[in-house]
Amino acid sequence: MRARGELPGAPATRVAIATLPPLDRGKQVMEALADYVERAALKSGDRLPTERELMAALSVGRSTIREAMGRFEALGVTETRKGSGTYLLKPISAGTIHLPLSLNTAELRDGLLHTLEVRRGIEAEASMVAARRRTADDLRTIEQKLIEMERVHLATGTSGPEDLAFHLAVYDATHNPLFRQLLGQMREAFERFWDHPFDRQDFARRSFPHHRELFDAIVARDAELAREKTLKILEIVEEDIEEMSK
């Protein structure tokens, strides 16, 4: 008797061809949505069609739509606002490759240290590349973010969102989108859960003056100094994680 999946006339010793897996409807919905976003030229902040509209257009059930939208939200591509709808956070296309990150938010200390280990190498490289490739427009943007960060920090003693905006501007100055995507996704994941890690507003406060020094190194196109200042900032962050988690 021929085994299931075995071709007619195939020798008994031949390996059977694997049966085709069932279609991943959630993935198909994601691909259709990505194609729609690209063709409609939607930008960050634009509202996506409603669940009912997507169900009718794609001929799938509500659970499939919610599965696909849940995947996009986990990737930081969309955001659902209660009573308002779902909005695009990042431009995507049918050719976009999605690399989800899995972080254990229940263990703050371990999660921060794990991301820090990965960030150290990538972020130091990003600072060096930014110092080499930055344009005059990049410098204006980075400086604007730095001035706002300094203003908020001096007024309140903390500046988490402004600190993130400064670093995102540095990543953009590399002109390599992967730096912002990888590092931004790691940092933004934690920004969603904790305004102040360990309930300490002074978390990483000692790193504040080194941001101006990092900017100065990028202005001077001193890649090695930019790397040094970035590592100093991350060193302080690591010290505070270790100390404040005790």
Side-chain angles (χ1 to χ4, degrees):
M1 181 181 293
R2 185 180 298 116
R4 184 181 179 187
E6 189 175 304
L7 292 176
T13 56
R14 289 280 298 274
V15 177
I17 294 177
T19 56
L20 294 174
L23 291 175
D24 185 336
R25 299 292 281 172
K27 182 179 179 182
Q28 288 182 312
V29 171
M30 290 179 71
E31 291 172 348
L33 270 173
D35 178 66
Y36 165 75
V37 167
E38 182 179 21
R39 288 187 295 105
L42 297 186
K43 304 180 297 297
S44 298
D46 287 343
R47 188 173 180 273
L48 294 177
T50 65
E51 272 188 6
R52 190 177 298 276
E53 290 170 335
L54 291 173
M55 288 165 59
L58 300 174
S59 300
V60 296
R62 178 173 280 106
S63 62
T64 302
I65 296 296
R66 290 184 175 176
E67 176 190 352
M69 299 310 293
R71 292 184 189 179
F72 271 138
E73 191 155 355
L75 291 164
V77 172
T78 62
E79 175 184 55
T80 300
R81 302 172 190 170
K82 190 173 182 180
S84 178
T86 301
Y87 292 81
L88 190 68
L89 295 181
K90 300 175 182 177
I92 54 173
S93 71
T96 301
I97 298 174
H98 303 288
L99 299 173
L101 295 177
S102 178
L103 301 173
N104 183 3
T105 57
E107 298 293 339
L108 174 57
R109 177 185 179 279
D110 290 346
L112 286 172
L113 289 174
H114 288 163
T115 57
L116 191 63
E117 286 179 350
V118 177
R119 280 178 55 195
R120 185 175 283 111
I122 303 176
E123 196 147 353
E125 181 67 19
S127 296
M128 296 176 71
V129 174
R132 297 189 190 108
R133 296 182 181 170
R134 94 293 185 280
T135 64
D137 285 341
D138 291 329
L139 291 181
R140 280 191 287 271
T141 301
I142 297 171
E143 187 171 28
Q144 288 172 359
K145 302 301 182 183
L146 176 61
I147 290 172
E148 178 62 10
M149 174 189 167
E150 291 174 335
R151 184 190 69 78
V152 173
H153 183 91
L154 292 173
T156 67
T158 185
S159 54
E162 293 75 21
D163 174 271
L164 175 60
F166 167 79
H167 286 286
L168 290 177
V170 172
Y171 308 153
D172 285 341
T174 67
H175 298 275
N176 180 338
L178 287 179
F179 279 118
R180 179 176 180 130
Q181 290 174 37
L182 291 170
L183 292 166
Q185 191 175 346
M186 279 189 284
R187 295 198 53 166
E188 288 168 353
F190 279 98
E191 292 284 337
R192 294 194 197 104
F193 287 94
W194 300 284
D195 291 330
H196 307 296
F198 310 110
D199 294 322
R200 295 281 296 270
Q201 293 206 7
D202 60 339
F203 178 77
R205 181 178 292 173
R206 293 178 298 120
S207 71
F208 172 67
H210 299 292
H211 289 74
R212 171 63 67 174
E213 295 171 354
L214 170 57
F215 172 69
D216 290 342
I218 293 173
V219 171
R221 294 190 185 275
D222 190 332
E224 189 54 42
L225 185 59
R227 174 181 180 277
E228 178 185 318
K229 295 304 177 183
T230 297
L231 292 177
K232 182 61 180 178
I233 291 170
L234 295 177
E235 178 185 324
I236 291 171
V237 171
E238 183 174 23
E239 289 172 355
D240 278 7
I241 293 172
E242 296 284 4
E243 179 62 30
M244 294 181 182
S245 63
K246 290 180 180 178

